Amino acid sequence: MVSNGYHIVAGENGEDVNEETVNIYEAKSYRVVLPQLYSVCVASSFNLLTGMILSFSGIVIPELEKPDAQIHASIDETSWIASATSLSMAFGSIFSGFMVDHFGRLETIRLSALPSILGWLLIALAQNTAMVICGRIFTGLGAITALNASGPFVCEITWPQFRGSFLASICLASSLGVELIYLGGYFFSWKTIAWLCFCYAILLFIVTYFVQESPSWLIKRGRLEIARKSLHWYTKYQNLDDGEKNTAEMHLKHLTKQFHRINKKIQSKNPTNLNVLKRFTKPGTYKPVLTLIGLCAIQQFSGIYVITAYAVTFFENIGSNISPIICSNIVTGLPVLASLLNIFTMNSIKRNNLLMFSCLGMALSLFVSGIFTKWIQEGVSQEKWVPVVSLFVYMTMAILGLEPIPWAMMGEVTPSDNKGVIVGFVTVTVEGIMFAAIHSFRTLQQLLGSSGVQFLYGTIALCGVIFVRLFVPETFKKSLTEIEHNFHEKV
């Protein structure tokens, strides 16, 4: 049995390996993990930009709706500004999955900066709403391309004992990006923020040249010399008695054997001419795909990204007497601390327990907020602080489970064969659901009112508890091979 990436923890048939072999892959000091940590930081930096992209509509829409705005937008146009990114992310998932498999994990992350640069430039130079929407479309393409590549990249270059924390750091970066946008909205104009994001995207493109590609992917593509160079970089602080060179060679040898072993198992289960579409008929593919889509549908329609995209507008409608921009900063800012907590919880608590706790907490918070919103609007209550506190608890609960874990699981539960294409398929479906959730918000608000929308989202979050209990497999501290084997076995 093998672990993810190039870190082997058990023998070919599942037997224990000898102590000498185990020591090759154990971190005797945190210095050994520094190359992995740096690479994860680079990948996470792209997710910081993703958080900025998703939340930018929250500060620009209220400004465009003002009567004296230089660029004025109608309600229909603001709906497109908010949802344009999710629509382009859906279309971007179609080709980004192929890019991850054929161009490489790191190369795809690097290329994702290009549409982001163009998109932020269009927004910064915008003279009308059409330019803003076009800019949002390009930034959405960049966001989804980075998102599809960063999960597999981080999973493949990190050790199993650190993988949960490193995956949590990606979600932390996204939450921090959301808060930076709302904090910036308090001090700067939306065009100034667009220029800052433009410069940041250029910087990200440059720093990717100081990271090495996933050795796992390089070996799968037969590029052994480049894989050897990559492994030398990732193991440069893992100094064993035989020296650094032998350490990298040992990793290369084991990783190559792992690839051939997994490939042999795949070929024994599937004909060699089995194309990607036919693979979706196999339990090892369609079961994790359906599980992820179901979990992400609950994630989207429980309102996490709707509130992120419409935070200021949302708080204007719940009746709070606190400034909407301040409320937005509170609700999107303090959960960043919850994301920091995730670095520890995802490495010490089972994923399913976190998910069920998160869904239950979100549901209860939305029910309380919805009740008080209704009472405030009817004049029954003057406790206008309650919805704000409830929504803060809601976002904190979301960050602890339902927001980060489905994205992290995409790199864990999808089969290694054609992972990029399968992740791309799941993501295009999920982004389509996100588009529907964000674009329908204004319509739902008109039909159900602010309190009714919160009751709807709360009910869906509550359904998440049942879904996780019945259908979501546990991935906590399991190797990628164990997770994949579990789906193949349970037919």
Side-chain angles (χ1 to χ4, degrees):
M1 191 180 299
V2 293
S3 75
N4 64 303
Y6 52 87
H7 307 287
I8 299 175
V9 295
E12 181 173 352
N13 299 313
E15 73 277 5
D16 293 337
V17 294
N18 57 55
E19 186 65 29
E20 180 182 358
T21 304
V22 173
N23 286 339
I24 292 176
Y25 300 98
E26 116 183 313
K28 296 180 179 179
S29 71
Y30 281 102
R31 189 168 181 262
V32 173
V33 193
L34 286 179
Q36 299 174 49
L37 178 61
Y38 173 72
S39 300
V40 170
C41 286
V42 171
S44 297
S45 298
F46 279 82
N47 268 52
L48 183 75
L49 190 62
T50 298
M52 294 174 175
I53 291 166
L54 291 173
S55 59
F56 183 74
S57 60
I59 64 166
V60 71
I61 287 174
E63 294 300 314
L64 298 183
E65 288 183 329
K66 290 180 177 178
D68 59 344
Q70 185 178 359
I71 301 174
H72 184 72
S74 65
I75 291 179
D76 184 59
E77 286 174 324
T78 58
S79 293
W80 280 104
I81 290 171
S83 59
T85 51
S86 54
L87 185 62
S88 65
M89 288 168 84
F91 284 108
S93 297
I94 297 172
F95 61 81
S96 63
F98 288 95
M99 290 175 64
V100 171
D101 279 339
H102 294 281
F103 295 161
R105 283 55 161 139
L106 179 61
E107 187 66 24
T108 303
I109 291 173
R110 179 181 298 125
L111 291 174
S112 73
L114 300 180
S116 293
I117 292 169
L118 176 58
W120 286 116
L121 182 62
L122 281 171
I123 295 171
L125 298 173
Q127 299 297 316
N128 49 56
T129 55
M131 289 185 70
V132 176
I133 293 172
C134 286
R136 296 278 290 161
I137 289 172
F138 279 108
T139 56
L141 288 174
I144 196 58
T145 304
L147 186 64
N148 277 351
S150 60
F153 178 71
V154 171
C155 280
E156 290 178 355
I157 66 164
T158 56
W159 295 11
Q161 63 266 42
F162 301 115
R163 191 176 71 221
S165 296
F166 282 141
L167 286 171
S169 70
I170 294 179
C171 300
L172 167 63
S174 180
S175 299
L176 185 59
V178 171
E179 168 54 20
L180 286 175
I181 285 295
Y182 282 109
L183 186 61
Y186 191 77
F187 296 101
F188 305 110
S189 70
W190 60 271
K191 283 202 170 186
T192 300
I193 293 174
W195 279 116
L196 291 173
C197 291
F198 166 76
C199 295
Y200 179 65
I202 293 176
L203 177 63
L204 290 182
F205 180 80
I206 296 170
V207 298
T208 57
Y209 285 97
F210 299 93
V211 179
Q212 293 293 322
E213 180 60 88
S214 160
S216 225
W217 178 83
L218 290 167
I219 288 178
K220 288 178 184 177
R221 305 300 293 182
R223 300 164 67 176
L224 297 184
E225 286 304 315
I226 304 177
R228 182 177 285 108
K229 177 183 176 183
S230 177
L231 284 167
H232 275 298
W233 188 79
Y234 280 110
T235 62
K236 60 185 175 182
Y237 296 123
Q238 194 177 19
N239 297 317
L240 302 178
D241 294 338
D242 292 332
E244 178 185 331
K245 181 177 180 181
N246 284 342
T247 301
E249 292 295 334
M250 289 175 186
H251 281 286
L252 180 63
K253 179 181 177 181
H254 283 302
L255 185 54
T256 304
K257 292 172 74 174
Q258 171 188 338
F259 167 69
H260 289 305
R261 187 182 305 125
I262 292 176
N263 192 52
K264 184 178 179 180
K265 288 182 179 179
I266 291 171
Q267 294 301 326
S268 67
K269 290 179 179 290
N270 304 315
T272 55
N273 63 345
L274 194 64
N275 61 34
V276 175
L277 291 178
K278 288 184 178 178
R279 292 191 192 282
F280 278 87
T281 65
K282 301 297 179 181
T285 300
Y286 73 74
K287 291 178 72 174
V289 164
L290 292 176
T291 300
L292 284 170
I293 290 174
L295 187 60
C296 288
I298 292 168
Q299 177 199 64
Q300 299 300 329
F301 277 101
S302 62
I304 297 173
Y305 294 107
V306 175
I307 294 176
T308 300
Y310 283 107
V312 175
T313 304
F314 196 88
F315 283 108
E316 287 176 345
N317 294 326
I318 64 173
S320 172
N321 55 358
I322 307 174
S323 167
I325 190 68
I326 293 177
C327 290
S328 300
N329 273 282
I330 293 173
V331 170
T332 60
L334 292 179
V336 173
L337 299 177
S339 296
L340 286 171
L341 183 62
N342 265 354
I343 295 176
F344 303 99
T345 58
M346 285 188 66
N347 221 38
S348 57
I349 301 175
K350 291 183 176 180
R351 305 276 200 272
N352 286 9
N353 291 343
L354 284 173
L355 280 170
M356 288 188 287
F357 174 72
S358 173
C359 288
L360 183 60
M362 290 167 62
L364 294 177
S365 302
L366 284 172
F367 290 150
V368 171
S369 179
I371 290 170
F372 274 87
T373 297
K374 189 173 187 298
W375 288 346
I376 291 169
Q377 291 174 344
E378 292 175 349
V380 176
S381 173
Q382 295 300 314
E383 306 295 332
K384 296 183 177 182
W385 57 271
V386 175
V388 177
V389 173
S390 298
L391 288 172
F392 159 65
V393 175
Y394 161 84
M395 288 300 292
T396 302
M397 291 294 102
I399 295 299
L400 287 175
L402 190 58
E403 197 279 333
I405 291 178
W407 298 112
M409 287 181 66
M410 283 192 191
E412 292 182 315
V413 304
T414 49
S416 57
D417 192 36
N418 297 115
K419 181 182 284 286
V421 175
I422 294 168
V423 169
F425 173 80
V426 173
T427 309
V428 70
T429 307
V430 172
E431 295 302 334
I433 297 171
M434 181 190 288
F435 171 76
I438 295 176
H439 198 70
S440 64
F441 170 69
R442 285 291 179 87
T443 302
L444 287 174
Q445 195 171 49
Q446 290 175 343
L447 292 173
L448 305 176
S450 297
S451 59
V453 171
Q454 292 176 73
F455 291 142
L456 174 63
Y457 291 161
T459 302
I460 294 172
L462 192 59
C463 291
V465 178
I466 302 171
F467 182 85
V468 172
R469 183 69 181 85
L470 295 179
F471 301 112
V472 179
E474 183 56 67
T475 63
F476 178 66
K477 288 192 176 179
K478 291 184 179 180
S479 72
L480 301 187
T481 306
E482 285 180 288
I483 297 168
E484 185 173 346
H485 183 265
N486 180 64
F487 281 111
H488 278 291
E489 289 299 310
K490 294 183 179 180
V491 180

Coordinates of all heavy atoms in Angstrom, one line a residue, residues 151 154-155 158-173 175 295 299 337-355 357-358 396-413 473-478 483:
G151 N -5.3 21.8 -5.8 CA -5.6 20.7 -5.0 C -4.7 19.5 -5.3 O -4.1 18.9 -4.4
V154 N -1.0 20.2 -4.3 CA -0.7 20.1 -2.9 C -0.8 18.6 -2.4 O 0.1 18.2 -1.6 CB -1.6 21.0 -2.1 CG1 -1.5 20.8 -0.6 CG2 -1.3 22.5 -2.4
C155 N -1.8 17.9 -2.9 CA -1.9 16.5 -2.4 C -0.7 15.7 -2.8 O -0.2 14.8 -2.1 CB -3.1 15.9 -3.0 SG -4.7 16.3 -2.2
T158 N 2.9 16.8 -0.8 CA 3.0 16.8 0.7 C 2.8 15.4 1.3 O 2.3 14.5 0.7 CB 1.8 17.7 1.2 OG1 0.6 17.3 0.8 CG2 2.0 19.2 0.8
W159 N 3.3 15.3 2.5 CA 3.3 14.0 3.2 C 1.9 13.8 3.9 O 1.3 14.8 4.2 CB 4.4 14.0 4.3 CG 5.8 14.1 3.8 CD1 6.2 14.4 2.5 CD2 7.0 13.9 4.5 NE1 7.5 14.3 2.4 CE2 8.1 14.0 3.6 CE3 7.2 13.6 5.9 CZ2 9.4 13.9 4.0 CZ3 8.5 13.4 6.3 CH2 9.6 13.6 5.4
P160 N 1.5 12.6 4.0 CA 0.2 12.3 4.6 C 0.0 13.0 6.0 O -1.1 13.5 6.2 CB 0.2 10.8 4.7 CG 1.1 10.3 3.7 CD 2.2 11.3 3.7
Q161 N 1.0 13.0 6.8 CA 0.8 13.5 8.1 C 0.6 15.1 8.2 O 0.1 15.6 9.1 CB 1.9 13.1 9.1 CG 3.3 13.7 8.7 CD 4.1 12.7 7.8 OE1 3.5 12.1 7.0 NE2 5.4 12.6 8.1
F162 N 1.0 15.7 7.0 CA 0.8 17.2 6.9 C -0.2 17.6 5.9 O -0.6 18.8 5.8 CB 2.2 17.8 6.6 CG 3.3 17.6 7.5 CD1 4.4 16.8 7.1 CD2 3.2 18.0 8.8 CE1 5.4 16.6 8.0 CE2 4.3 17.8 9.7 CZ 5.4 17.0 9.3
R163 N -0.8 16.6 5.2 CA -1.6 17.0 4.1 C -2.9 17.7 4.5 O -3.3 18.7 3.8 CB -2.0 15.7 3.3 CG -2.7 16.0 2.0 CD -3.0 14.7 1.2 NE -4.1 13.9 1.9 CZ -4.1 12.6 2.1 NH1 -3.1 11.9 1.6 NH2 -5.1 12.0 2.6
G164 N -3.5 17.3 5.6 CA -4.7 18.0 6.0 C -4.5 19.5 6.4 O -5.2 20.3 6.0
S165 N -3.4 19.7 7.1 CA -3.0 21.1 7.4 C -2.7 22.0 6.2 O -3.1 23.1 6.1 CB -1.9 21.1 8.4 OG -2.2 20.5 9.6
F166 N -2.0 21.4 5.3 CA -1.6 22.1 4.1 C -2.9 22.4 3.2 O -3.0 23.5 2.6 CB -0.6 21.3 3.2 CG 0.8 21.4 3.8 CD1 1.7 20.4 3.8 CD2 1.3 22.7 4.3 CE1 3.0 20.5 4.3 CE2 2.6 22.8 4.8 CZ 3.4 21.7 4.8
L167 N -3.8 21.4 3.1 CA -5.0 21.7 2.4 C -5.9 22.8 3.0 O -6.5 23.6 2.4 CB -5.8 20.4 2.2 CG -5.3 19.4 1.2 CD1 -6.0 18.0 1.4 CD2 -5.3 19.9 -0.2
A168 N -5.8 22.8 4.4 CA -6.6 23.8 5.1 C -6.0 25.2 4.9 O -6.7 26.2 4.8 CB -6.6 23.5 6.6
S169 N -4.7 25.2 4.6 CA -4.0 26.5 4.4 C -4.5 27.1 3.1 O -4.6 28.4 2.9 CB -2.5 26.4 4.4 OG -2.1 25.7 3.2
I170 N -4.9 26.3 2.1 CA -5.4 26.8 0.8 C -6.7 27.5 1.1 O -7.0 28.6 0.6 CB -5.6 25.7 -0.2 CG1 -4.2 25.1 -0.6 CG2 -6.4 26.1 -1.4 CD1 -4.3 23.9 -1.5
C171 N -7.6 26.9 1.9 CA -8.9 27.5 2.3 C -8.7 28.8 3.1 O -9.5 29.7 3.0 CB -9.8 26.5 3.0 SG -10.1 25.0 2.0
L172 N -7.7 28.7 4.0 CA -7.4 29.9 4.8 C -7.0 31.1 3.9 O -7.5 32.2 4.1 CB -6.2 29.6 5.7 CG -5.5 30.8 6.4 CD1 -6.5 31.5 7.3 CD2 -4.3 30.4 7.2
A173 N -6.2 30.8 2.8 CA -5.9 31.9 1.9 C -7.1 32.5 1.2 O -7.2 33.7 1.0 CB -4.9 31.3 0.9
S175 N -10.2 32.6 2.4 CA -10.9 33.4 3.4 C -10.2 34.7 3.6 O -10.9 35.7 3.7 CB -11.0 32.6 4.7 OG -11.7 31.4 4.5
L295 N -22.4 16.9 -2.2 CA -21.9 17.7 -1.1 C -21.7 19.2 -1.5 O -22.1 20.1 -0.7 CB -20.6 17.1 -0.6 CG -20.0 17.7 0.7 CD1 -20.9 17.5 1.8 CD2 -18.6 17.0 1.0
Q299 N -23.3 22.8 -0.2 CA -22.5 23.9 0.1 C -22.9 25.2 -0.6 O -23.0 26.2 0.1 CB -21.0 23.5 -0.4 CG -20.0 24.6 -0.2 CD -18.8 24.4 -1.0 OE1 -18.9 24.5 -2.3 NE2 -17.6 24.2 -0.4
L337 N -9.9 33.6 11.4 CA -9.3 33.0 12.6 C -9.8 31.5 12.7 O -9.0 30.6 13.1 CB -9.8 33.7 13.9 CG -9.3 35.1 14.0 CD1 -9.9 35.7 15.3 CD2 -7.8 35.2 14.0
A338 N -11.0 31.3 12.2 CA -11.5 29.9 12.1 C -10.7 29.1 11.1 O -10.5 27.9 11.3 CB -13.0 29.9 11.8
S339 N -10.3 29.8 10.0 CA -9.5 29.1 9.0 C -8.1 28.7 9.6 O -7.6 27.7 9.3 CB -9.3 30.0 7.8 OG -10.5 30.3 7.2
L340 N -7.6 29.6 10.5 CA -6.3 29.2 11.1 C -6.5 28.0 12.0 O -5.7 27.1 12.1 CB -5.9 30.4 12.0 CG -5.3 31.6 11.3 CD1 -5.1 32.8 12.2 CD2 -4.0 31.2 10.6
L341 N -7.7 27.9 12.7 CA -8.0 26.8 13.5 C -8.1 25.5 12.7 O -7.7 24.4 13.1 CB -9.3 27.0 14.3 CG -9.7 25.9 15.3 CD1 -8.7 25.7 16.4 CD2 -11.1 26.3 15.8
N342 N -8.5 25.7 11.4 CA -8.7 24.5 10.5 C -7.3 23.8 10.3 O -7.3 22.6 10.0 CB -9.2 25.0 9.1 CG -10.7 24.9 9.0 OD1 -11.3 24.3 9.9 ND2 -11.2 25.4 8.0
I343 N -6.3 24.6 10.3 CA -4.9 23.9 10.1 C -4.7 22.8 11.1 O -4.0 21.8 10.8 CB -3.8 25.0 10.2 CG1 -4.0 26.0 9.0 CG2 -2.4 24.4 10.1 CD1 -3.0 27.2 9.0
F344 N -5.3 23.0 12.3 CA -5.1 22.0 13.3 C -6.3 21.0 13.3 O -6.1 19.8 13.5 CB -5.0 22.7 14.7 CG -3.9 23.7 14.8 CD1 -4.1 25.0 14.7 CD2 -2.6 23.2 15.0 CE1 -3.1 25.9 14.7 CE2 -1.5 24.1 15.1 CZ -1.8 25.5 14.9
T345 N -7.5 21.5 13.2 CA -8.7 20.6 13.2 C -8.7 19.6 12.1 O -9.0 18.4 12.3 CB -10.0 21.4 13.2 OG1 -10.0 22.2 12.0 CG2 -10.1 22.3 14.4
M346 N -8.3 20.0 10.9 CA -8.3 19.0 9.7 C -7.2 18.0 9.8 O -7.2 17.0 9.1 CB -8.2 19.8 8.4 CG -9.5 20.5 8.0 SD -9.5 21.2 6.4 CE -9.4 19.7 5.4
N347 N -6.3 18.2 10.8 CA -5.2 17.2 11.0 C -5.4 16.4 12.2 O -4.6 15.6 12.5 CB -3.9 18.0 11.0 CG -2.8 17.2 10.3 OD1 -3.0 16.6 9.2 ND2 -1.6 17.2 10.8
S348 N -6.6 16.7 12.9 CA -6.8 16.0 14.2 C -8.2 15.5 14.4 O -8.5 14.7 15.3 CB -6.4 16.9 15.4 OG -7.1 18.1 15.3
I349 N -9.1 16.0 13.6 CA -10.5 15.6 13.7 C -11.0 15.0 12.4 O -10.7 15.5 11.3 CB -11.4 16.8 14.1 CG1 -11.0 17.4 15.4 CG2 -12.9 16.3 14.2 CD1 -11.7 18.6 15.8
K350 N -11.8 13.9 12.5 CA -12.3 13.3 11.3 C -13.1 14.3 10.4 O -13.9 15.1 10.9 CB -13.2 12.1 11.6 CG -12.4 10.9 12.2 CD -13.3 9.7 12.5 CE -12.5 8.6 13.0 NZ -13.4 7.4 13.3
R351 N -13.0 14.2 9.1 CA -13.6 15.1 8.2 C -15.1 15.1 8.3 O -15.8 16.1 8.3 CB -13.3 14.7 6.7 CG -11.8 14.6 6.4 CD -11.2 15.9 6.1 NE -9.9 15.8 5.4 CZ -8.7 15.6 5.9 NH1 -8.7 15.7 7.2 NH2 -7.6 15.5 5.2
N352 N -15.7 13.9 8.4 CA -17.2 13.8 8.5 C -17.7 14.4 9.8 O -18.8 15.0 9.7 CB -17.6 12.3 8.4 CG -17.5 11.8 7.0 OD1 -16.9 12.4 6.1 ND2 -18.0 10.6 6.8
N353 N -17.0 14.3 10.9 CA -17.5 15.0 12.1 C -17.5 16.5 11.9 O -18.4 17.2 12.4 CB -16.6 14.6 13.3 CG -16.8 13.1 13.7 OD1 -17.8 12.5 13.3 ND2 -15.9 12.5 14.4
L354 N -16.4 17.0 11.3 CA -16.3 18.4 11.0 C -17.5 18.9 10.1 O -18.1 19.9 10.4 CB -15.0 18.8 10.4 CG -13.8 18.8 11.3 CD1 -12.5 19.0 10.5 CD2 -13.9 19.9 12.4
L355 N -17.8 18.1 9.1 CA -18.8 18.5 8.2 C -20.2 18.5 8.8 O -21.0 19.4 8.6 CB -18.8 17.5 7.0 CG -17.8 17.7 5.9 CD1 -17.8 16.5 4.9 CD2 -18.1 18.9 5.1
F357 N -20.9 18.8 12.1 CA -20.9 19.9 13.0 C -21.1 21.2 12.3 O -21.9 22.1 12.8 CB -19.6 19.9 13.8 CG -19.4 21.0 14.8 CD1 -20.2 21.1 15.9 CD2 -18.5 22.0 14.5 CE1 -20.0 22.2 16.8 CE2 -18.3 23.1 15.4 CZ -19.1 23.2 16.5
S358 N -20.4 21.4 11.2 CA -20.5 22.6 10.5 C -21.9 22.9 9.9 O -22.5 23.9 10.1 CB -19.5 22.6 9.3 OG -19.6 23.7 8.4
T396 N -18.5 31.3 10.5 CA -17.4 30.6 11.3 C -17.7 29.1 11.1 O -16.7 28.3 10.9 CB -17.4 31.0 12.7 OG1 -17.2 32.4 12.8 CG2 -16.4 30.3 13.5
M397 N -18.9 28.7 11.3 CA -19.3 27.3 11.2 C -19.0 26.8 9.8 O -18.5 25.6 9.6 CB -20.8 27.1 11.5 CG -21.1 27.2 13.0 SD -20.4 26.0 14.1 CE -19.1 26.9 14.8
A398 N -19.3 27.6 8.8 CA -19.0 27.2 7.4 C -17.5 27.0 7.1 O -17.1 26.0 6.5 CB -19.5 28.3 6.4
I399 N -16.7 27.9 7.7 CA -15.2 27.8 7.5 C -14.7 26.6 8.1 O -13.7 26.0 7.7 CB -14.6 29.1 8.0 CG1 -15.0 30.3 7.1 CG2 -13.0 29.0 7.9 CD1 -14.6 30.2 5.7
L400 N -15.3 26.2 9.2 CA -14.8 25.0 10.0 C -15.0 23.7 9.3 O -14.5 22.7 9.6 CB -15.4 25.0 11.4 CG -14.9 26.0 12.4 CD1 -15.6 25.9 13.7 CD2 -13.4 25.8 12.6
G401 N -15.9 23.7 8.3 CA -16.2 22.4 7.6 C -16.7 22.5 6.2 O -16.0 22.1 5.3
L402 N -18.0 23.0 6.0 CA -18.6 22.8 4.7 C -18.0 23.7 3.6 O -18.1 23.3 2.4 CB -20.1 23.2 4.9 CG -21.0 22.9 3.6 CD1 -20.9 21.4 3.3 CD2 -22.4 23.3 3.9
E403 N -17.3 24.8 4.0 CA -16.7 25.6 2.9 C -15.4 24.9 2.4 O -15.2 24.7 1.2 CB -16.4 27.0 3.4 CG -16.1 28.0 2.3 CD -14.7 28.0 1.8 OE1 -13.8 27.6 2.6 OE2 -14.5 28.3 0.6
P404 N -14.4 24.5 3.3 CA -13.1 24.0 2.8 C -13.1 22.6 2.4 O -12.4 22.2 1.5 CB -12.2 24.3 3.9 CG -13.0 24.2 5.2 CD -14.4 24.7 4.8
I405 N -13.8 21.7 3.2 CA -13.6 20.3 3.0 C -14.0 19.7 1.7 O -13.3 18.9 1.1 CB -14.3 19.5 4.2 CG1 -13.6 19.8 5.5 CG2 -14.4 18.0 3.9 CD1 -14.2 19.2 6.7
P406 N -15.2 20.1 1.1 CA -15.5 19.6 -0.3 C -14.4 19.9 -1.3 O -14.1 19.0 -2.1 CB -16.8 20.3 -0.6 CG -17.4 20.6 0.7 CD -16.3 20.9 1.6
W407 N -13.8 21.1 -1.3 CA -12.7 21.4 -2.2 C -11.5 20.6 -1.9 O -10.8 20.1 -2.8 CB -12.4 22.9 -2.1 CG -13.5 23.8 -2.5 CD1 -14.2 24.7 -1.6 CD2 -14.1 24.0 -3.7 NE1 -15.2 25.4 -2.3 CE2 -15.2 25.0 -3.6 CE3 -13.9 23.4 -5.0 CZ2 -16.0 25.4 -4.7 CZ3 -14.7 23.8 -6.1 CH2 -15.7 24.8 -5.9
A408 N -11.2 20.4 -0.6 CA -10.0 19.6 -0.3 C -10.2 18.1 -0.7 O -9.3 17.4 -1.2 CB -9.8 19.6 1.2
M409 N -11.5 17.6 -0.6 CA -11.8 16.2 -0.9 C -11.7 16.0 -2.4 O -11.5 14.8 -2.8 CB -13.2 15.9 -0.4 CG -13.3 15.7 1.1 SD -14.9 15.2 1.6 CE -15.1 13.6 0.8
M410 N -11.7 17.0 -3.3 CA -11.6 16.8 -4.7 C -10.3 16.2 -5.0 O -10.1 15.4 -6.0 CB -11.8 18.1 -5.5 CG -13.3 18.5 -5.6 SD -13.5 19.9 -6.7 CE -15.2 20.3 -6.4
G411 N -9.2 16.6 -4.3 CA -7.9 16.1 -4.6 C -7.7 14.7 -3.9 O -6.8 14.0 -4.3
E412 N -8.6 14.4 -2.9 CA -8.4 13.2 -2.2 C -9.2 12.0 -2.8 O -8.7 10.9 -2.9 CB -8.8 13.4 -0.7 CG -7.9 14.3 0.1 CD -8.4 14.4 1.5 OE1 -9.6 14.6 1.7 OE2 -7.5 14.4 2.4
V413 N -10.5 12.2 -3.1 CA -11.3 11.1 -3.4 C -11.4 10.8 -4.9 O -11.8 9.7 -5.3 CB -12.8 11.3 -2.9 CG1 -12.8 11.5 -1.4 CG2 -13.5 12.4 -3.7
P473 N -17.7 9.4 2.4 CA -16.7 8.5 3.0 C -15.7 9.3 3.9 O -15.4 10.5 3.6 CB -16.0 7.9 1.8 CG -16.1 8.9 0.8 CD -17.4 9.6 1.0
E474 N -15.1 8.6 4.8 CA -14.1 9.3 5.7 C -12.7 9.2 5.0 O -12.3 8.1 4.6 CB -14.0 8.6 7.1 CG -13.1 9.3 8.0 CD -13.4 10.7 8.2 OE1 -14.5 11.0 8.8 OE2 -12.6 11.6 7.8
T475 N -12.0 10.3 4.9 CA -10.7 10.4 4.3 C -9.6 10.8 5.3 O -8.4 10.9 4.9 CB -10.7 11.4 3.1 OG1 -10.9 12.7 3.7 CG2 -11.7 11.0 2.1
F476 N -10.0 10.9 6.6 CA -9.0 11.4 7.6 C -7.8 10.5 7.7 O -7.9 9.3 8.0 CB -9.8 11.6 8.9 CG -8.9 12.0 10.0 CD1 -8.4 13.3 10.1 CD2 -8.6 11.2 11.1 CE1 -7.6 13.7 11.1 CE2 -7.8 11.6 12.2 CZ -7.3 12.9 12.2
K477 N -6.6 11.1 7.4 CA -5.3 10.4 7.6 C -5.3 9.1 6.8 O -4.6 8.1 7.2 CB -5.0 10.1 9.0 CG -4.6 11.4 9.8 CD -4.1 11.1 11.1 CE -3.6 12.5 11.8 NZ -3.1 12.3 13.1
K478 N -6.0 9.0 5.7 CA -5.9 7.9 4.8 C -5.1 8.2 3.6 O -5.1 9.4 3.1 CB -7.3 7.4 4.3 CG -8.1 6.8 5.4 CD -9.4 6.2 4.9 CE -10.3 5.6 6.0 NZ -11.5 5.0 5.5
I483 N -8.1 5.5 -0.1 CA -9.4 6.1 -0.5 C -9.9 5.6 -1.8 O -11.0 5.3 -1.9 CB -9.2 7.7 -0.5 CG1 -8.8 8.2 0.9 CG2 -10.5 8.3 -0.9 CD1 -8.3 9.6 0.9

